Amino acid sequence: FLFSEVQPYYDFEGEFTALQKPAESWVGRKLWNEHLFTFQAEDYWFTIDFALDLQVGKDLDSDLDVTYNNTRAAIFQGGLGKKLNFYAVVYENQGRFADYFNHYAESIRPGSEGRAIIPGRGIAKDFMGQAYDYPVAEGYLSFSPGK
C-alpha cells in the first residue's frame, strides 16, 4: 500500500509521537527518535539507518550451552520526486540454533560440506564450527505513474 492510500485511516504522526523516548544526547536521539542520516531536498529524500537484533535461548534437548541469533542490518530508503520510492536492507547474521533446526538445515544443504539452508533466510556457511553465518538482502521499488 502507498502512504497516501493508508494515511486517511491511520494516525501515523500520533503513533510516531507515542513511540518516541526522551533523549537529549545526539546518540540517544539517533538511537530512539531519528534516522541516523537524512538527506532531503525539494525533489528527493534518502535515509540511512542501522538495526541490531540479539537473541539468546537454550535447547533443553541438547548439550549446547546456548542458542543464539545475532543480526546487524543497514537500512536504506528514499524517494525521487513524488512517484518513485525505494527501500533496501542488508542483514548480516550469525546463529546457533536448536539441534532439530540445525539437522533440518543441514539436510537440505546445497551440496557442499559446511553449508546449510536456513529456512526462510537462505544459504549459510559454517561459523566457528557450531553456528552459521548467513547474509540476507531485501528491498522494494515503487513507482506510481499517476494518482
Side-chain angles (χ1 to χ4, degrees):
F1 293 101
L2 299 176
F3 176 79
S4 59
E5 294 173 344
V6 177
Q7 183 194 19
Y9 306 102
Y10 192 76
D11 181 12
F12 287 99
E13 197 65 39
E15 288 293 327
F16 179 72
T17 302
L19 290 173
Q20 288 187 323
K21 297 182 186 278
E24 295 181 16
S25 70
W26 181 87
V27 173
R29 285 192 332 268
K30 294 299 179 179
L31 186 61
W32 299 113
N33 301 327
E34 300 175 4
H35 294 290
L36 185 59
F37 295 106
T38 301
F39 307 97
Q40 188 169 1
E42 188 174 321
D43 292 338
Y44 67 87
W45 65 275
F46 300 97
T47 66
I48 300 172
D49 291 296
F50 72 93
L52 184 64
D53 182 19
L54 305 172
Q55 303 172 21
V56 66
K58 174 75 175 136
D59 179 5
L60 298 176
D61 293 331
S62 171
D63 294 333
L64 289 175
D65 292 333
V66 296
T67 61
Y68 65 85
N69 194 54
N70 69 66
T71 301
R72 284 104 30 233
I75 306 162
F76 309 95
Q77 59 184 338
L80 300 171
K82 295 184 181 198
K83 299 183 183 241
L84 181 66
N85 292 286
F86 71 90
Y87 172 86
V89 60
V90 177
Y91 301 98
E92 175 52 29
N93 311 277
Q94 283 88 36
R96 180 164 68 180
F97 308 106
D99 279 345
Y100 73 90
F101 191 91
N102 290 337
H103 293 310
Y104 179 70
E106 292 164 2
S107 74
I108 55 176
R109 84 177 80 220
S112 63
E113 204 59 38
R115 297 208 180 262
I117 301 280
I118 304 302
R121 305 314 285 169
I123 298 174
K125 65 179 182 176
D126 184 60
F127 178 70
M128 296 175 41
Q130 294 183 329
Y132 295 102
D133 182 38
Y134 56 101
V136 177
E138 299 173 347
Y140 73 78
L141 182 64
S142 96
F143 177 71
S144 300
K147 286 187 178 182

